[in-house]
Amino acid sequence: MATGQRAGGPRVMSGGSLASSMGQVAVGSMVANVCAYLVHLPASAWLSTSSYGEFAVLLQATLVLGVPALALQAVAAREVVTGRPIGSLLRLGGVTAVAVAILAALAVAPVMTFAHTGFTATAAAMAVAPLLVLISVGQGILQGRGQFHRLAWVIGMVGVVRTVPPLIALAVGGGSADALVATMLGAVVAVVIVGWQTGVRGLGPRSADAPVGRLSPTTVLHASQVQLVLISATSVDLLLARVVLSEHDSGVYALGTVASKVAFWLPQAIGLVLFPRLADAQRSAGALRTGVLVLIGLAGVTTVAALIGGPLVPVVIGDDYRPVAGLLWLFAITGGALAILQVALLAAIARERTRIAVVPWAVVVVEVVVILTAAHTVLGLAAIAASGAVLAATLTVAATMRTASVTR
């Protein structure tokens, strides 16, 4: 064990080990992301338009209810780094899962009313949310321990077991409700897998140098609003596209956001692997600086790739999307900037400086106002989204770096 390393804490990684960990987690994340998008292809082909609409909107609702799960993973990883016993994290995960389950149950009727969805499909989709909480607390424990090989395997396997059951249900002729029930069952299997891989080490007495403060569920609430601002920043332009653009132009814009999603999701492993360092007061500023520099480089690569590949859009997808072909680089800039924003916000959670989220929240509010008043074309909306993402990332990184430096 390295000198000064807490028992049970994350191991110190060399540059090669860090790169290897990023590569492993990147593969696991890629598998999970491909699975998440893959399920939509057969669903759109095998279901009627209305059934697919029900399926898609309920999956989106599940993601919104899953915000506490994302927050809990970050909180769990941070607390493992500080030496908190795993037992208290499992209890926090249980409390959070119960709270999310209650919220999900209360959401069934409103979702059915406003989204015009059936009871079985809606209930099954809502039931996934508390299961995501249990999955996330296990992943956070692995992340905080620095067990990135195992974390990568878990992330990929969770993506597979959550995707295969609905694919089977659709393949045998099931409807959207059947697919969502299968998705719920897949999530149950995922919980079992995560529990098996996480184990129960650390349930013993608190170590002498572990934190003595009580871990409150409000910690998850504070982290949740940080994750919520990230989700808002990544979706506000697409959500408002149908408001400010014609149906045709909003469809064209939606295709452009695929480039944003690729640039945003591609470097997810960086934040996951760097998080334990971000939670360490002595290494937080350096880790954030490293992450931002790597992400800037990746953003440059994806932007150039989008610039070169843009002209292929009309050839591969269709001439209707020609207007966005020359703008994909702008969407890539948006996604790259949002990836940088994500790492800055993870650093804020890691150092318990969640008030920093007020900075991107302010930018999102301004962005909404500008979009509603000034975005009338695909180019205009794309330019506003890119500007907002770059501004939010720049200001948030600056604020986070300042607090990280102060607490060194």
Side-chain angles (χ1 to χ4, degrees):
M1 182 179 299
T3 303
Q5 183 79 4
R6 281 193 181 93
R11 59 183 179 273
V12 177
M13 293 182 290
S14 64
S17 177
L18 181 63
S20 175
S21 297
M22 286 185 180
Q24 292 170 1
V25 176
V27 171
S29 299
M30 187 69 68
V31 170
N33 289 328
V34 168
C35 287
Y37 286 110
L38 178 64
V39 73
H40 286 274
L41 296 179
S44 60
W46 296 341
L47 295 175
S48 66
T49 304
S50 60
S51 292
Y52 174 66
E54 179 182 56
F55 180 73
V57 74
L58 287 174
L59 284 182
Q60 187 64 35
T62 300
L63 290 178
V64 174
L65 280 173
V67 168
L70 296 174
L72 182 59
Q73 178 169 337
V75 170
R78 180 187 71 205
E79 296 301 320
V80 168
V81 171
T82 63
R84 188 179 295 275
I86 304 304
S88 62
L89 299 178
L90 297 179
R91 286 189 289 273
L92 178 63
V95 171
T96 304
V98 170
V100 171
I102 294 172
L103 181 62
L106 294 175
V108 170
V111 170
M112 289 175 61
T113 300
F114 292 107
H116 306 290
T117 55
F119 173 76
T120 301
T122 307
M126 297 300 100
V128 172
L131 297 173
L132 294 180
V133 171
L134 299 178
I135 292 169
S136 291
V137 70
Q139 291 181 341
I141 290 170
L142 293 175
Q143 184 181 354
R145 287 173 176 167
Q147 296 174 321
F148 296 114
H149 175 74
R150 182 170 295 185
L151 176 63
W153 187 89
V154 166
I155 290 173
M157 187 54 62
V158 166
V160 171
V161 299
R162 288 183 59 197
T163 303
V164 171
L167 287 178
I168 294 174
L170 291 169
V172 299
S176 58
D178 301 304
L180 288 164
V181 169
T183 300
M184 178 191 67
L185 295 176
V188 172
V189 175
V191 170
V192 174
I193 290 175
V194 172
W196 166 50
Q197 286 295 309
T198 302
V200 294
R201 295 191 302 267
L203 290 173
R206 187 186 304 274
S207 61
D209 60 348
V212 296
R214 181 174 177 270
L215 189 59
S216 169
T218 58
T219 304
V220 179
L221 288 177
H222 293 156
S224 292
Q225 62 93 14
V226 178
Q227 295 287 358
L228 184 59
V229 71
L230 181 65
I231 289 179
S232 300
T234 57
S235 59
V236 64
D237 59 327
L238 184 57
L239 291 175
L240 293 179
R242 293 185 68 85
V243 177
V244 298
L245 302 178
S246 66
E247 289 188 8
H248 176 267
D249 283 352
S250 64
V252 171
Y253 189 87
L255 179 66
T257 60
V258 172
S260 298
K261 289 182 174 66
V262 170
F264 176 69
W265 287 110
L266 191 62
Q268 291 299 294
I270 294 174
L272 284 172
V273 174
L274 285 180
F275 191 87
R277 295 188 178 198
L278 292 172
D280 187 328
Q282 299 302 316
R283 299 187 292 171
S284 181
L288 178 57
R289 194 158 39 243
T290 298
V292 169
L293 290 175
V294 172
L295 288 170
I296 289 175
L298 287 176
V301 171
T302 54
T303 299
V304 172
L307 183 63
I308 295 174
L312 297 176
V313 168
V315 178
V316 176
I317 300 179
D319 201 60
D320 287 342
Y321 295 97
R322 185 176 296 277
V324 81
L327 300 177
L328 289 186
W329 63 272
L330 192 55
F331 287 94
I333 288 177
T334 301
L338 290 172
I340 295 171
L341 173 63
Q342 182 182 42
V343 166
L345 290 175
L346 284 175
I349 294 175
R351 301 298 300 138
E352 298 187 76
R353 300 292 187 268
T354 52
R355 290 183 179 178
I356 287 175
V358 71
V359 175
W361 271 124
V363 175
V364 168
V365 170
V366 172
E367 183 178 349
V368 169
V369 173
V370 175
I371 288 175
L372 292 176
T373 57
H376 307 298
T377 64
V378 172
L379 173 59
L381 181 55
I384 293 171
S387 300
V390 171
L391 180 61
T394 302
L395 295 179
T396 306
V397 167
T400 309
M401 285 294 295
R402 184 164 56 250
T403 60
S405 298
V406 168
T407 57
R408 281 177 65 89

